[in-house]
Amino acid sequence: MSQTTRDHFLALDERDPLAPLRDQFTLPPGVIYLDGNSLGALPRATADRLGRAITDEWGTGLIRSWNDAGWVELPARVGAKIGRLLGAGPGEVVAADSTSINLFKVLAAALRLQEDRAPGRRVIVSQRGNFPTDLYIAQGLADLLGRGAAGGYTLRLVDGPDELPHAVDERTAVVLLTQVDYRTGALLAMAKTSALAHEKGALIIWDLAHSAGAIPLDLPGDGADFAIGCGYKYLNGGPGAPAFVWVASRHQEAFWQPLSGWFGHAAPFAFEPDYRPAPGIARYLCGTPAVLSMIALDSGLDTVLAAEARGGMPALRAKSIALTGAFIELVEARCQGHALSLVSPRDPALRGSQASFAAGPELARGYAVMQALIARGVIGDFRAPDVLRFGFTPLYTRFVDVWDAVEILSDILATRSWDAPRFHQRAAVT
Ligand SMILES: Cc1ncc(COP(=O)(O)O)c(C=O)c1O
């Protein structure tokens, strides 16, 4: 079969209209980077842009740069760029803080909205396998609010989306879901799930950490109420990049979120003693933005928006499906008998931009296999208890990378080179 040659994969790269977008990045030689779903690669332009921001805007402009270099507008300007990837309307997104903090804001706002119109609703529904920070934030907020006179909130966790129709009921205030499961890559249907929440009178919050920049989105069209997501994954904003928050226009004026810092005030430089929320999405800001990180995120976003001239998100999604599909097929063909089993959905329509395999006990459940891969230049990551996770960023991942990564994986498995003691030593970040 012609697909089982490296030349076939090289030919796919030659025909790929998105291939030139890879030149926007500096990727180290000898590395096949399959972890852009955790930390996006460094855009070539970022070091220069940050350098200029540091020497010219900060060094020379000093405090004047808040106005002269437009620092004060960065959360809205960067937010508008992110909005283009979310299908958002104007003024629906700001870049700010972290995903965890933004979740605190929108969950508090959503609960407050429900308290006003349906006070009996005291349940937050989420998935047990949701990214832990989402569950922790929900637990923290439930604990905080539970100390008030009105009584507490309960977090109800389902094991899978098929349980949602039963779990979401007349007691549910908010449904909180991550669209693409960080471990398995399973992709939830946003329109259908949002409709399910609304039919039961609940509001829905989407965590788009693994969707933004990877999946074409239409938040207003798909009925979302609130959304949040990371800037450092597919948006290539750099380690710890600011996150984003999207609020449907219909909810923006209804309530001010509880982290009511001065950047979300209607007139921050009036220095009034009382909080007055800014109109619209700006009230979702809290304190002074991390300007340098915001500039790095702006640069990262430009690499994604550069795809607009080449088919945009639908073209990126089509390539992502082709990459993950080819990887799954090759791993299953070439690593057979090595205790790896696919945990990502086989149906591409149900899969995000990653392919995850569970490692059996024969592979000591996988951690050392990923370390051995990384030592050979194939960078993916490991998610406890047993998941080898490979992310595919169509902006810079080539088809030949898929071939080469699987060749190295099959060699590591066949020779059992992963079983060297050094690969079993656990680092703090996996
Ligand atoms: C689904 C999801 N939500 C949130 C986060 C992280 O949030 P924060 O940027 O606040 O650390 C991650 C990180 O990988 C994630 O996968």
Side-chain angles (χ1 to χ4, degrees), residues 98-101 130-131 133-134 178 182 207 209-210 230 232-233:
S98 69
T99 303
S100 305
I101 290 174
N130 201 346
F131 191 78
T133 207
D134 293 32
T178 294
Y182 76 102
D207 182 336
H210 297 270
C230 303
Y232 48 74
K233 297 177 186 291

Side-chain angles (χ1 to χ4, degrees), residues 15 18 29 72 158-159 173 232 327 348 361 382 405 407:
R15 290 203 298 271
L18 300 176
V72 73
V158 298
D159 285 320
Y232 48 74
F327 184 79
F382 176 78
E407 282 298 285

Side-chain angles (χ1 to χ4, degrees), residues 9-25 27 44 303 306-307 310-311 315-316 319 323 393-401:
F9 284 76
L10 284 170
L12 289 176
D13 285 322
E14 243 157 63
R15 290 203 298 271
D16 172 19
L18 300 176
L21 296 172
R22 178 178 165 90
D23 293 339
Q24 301 182 102
F25 297 90
L27 286 153
R44 237 176 246 290
T303 64
R310 295 169 184 272
L316 288 170
K319 182 175 173 187
L323 289 167
T393 305
L395 280 176
Y396 49 77
T397 308
R398 298 169 298 198
F399 286 95
V400 76
D401 293 331

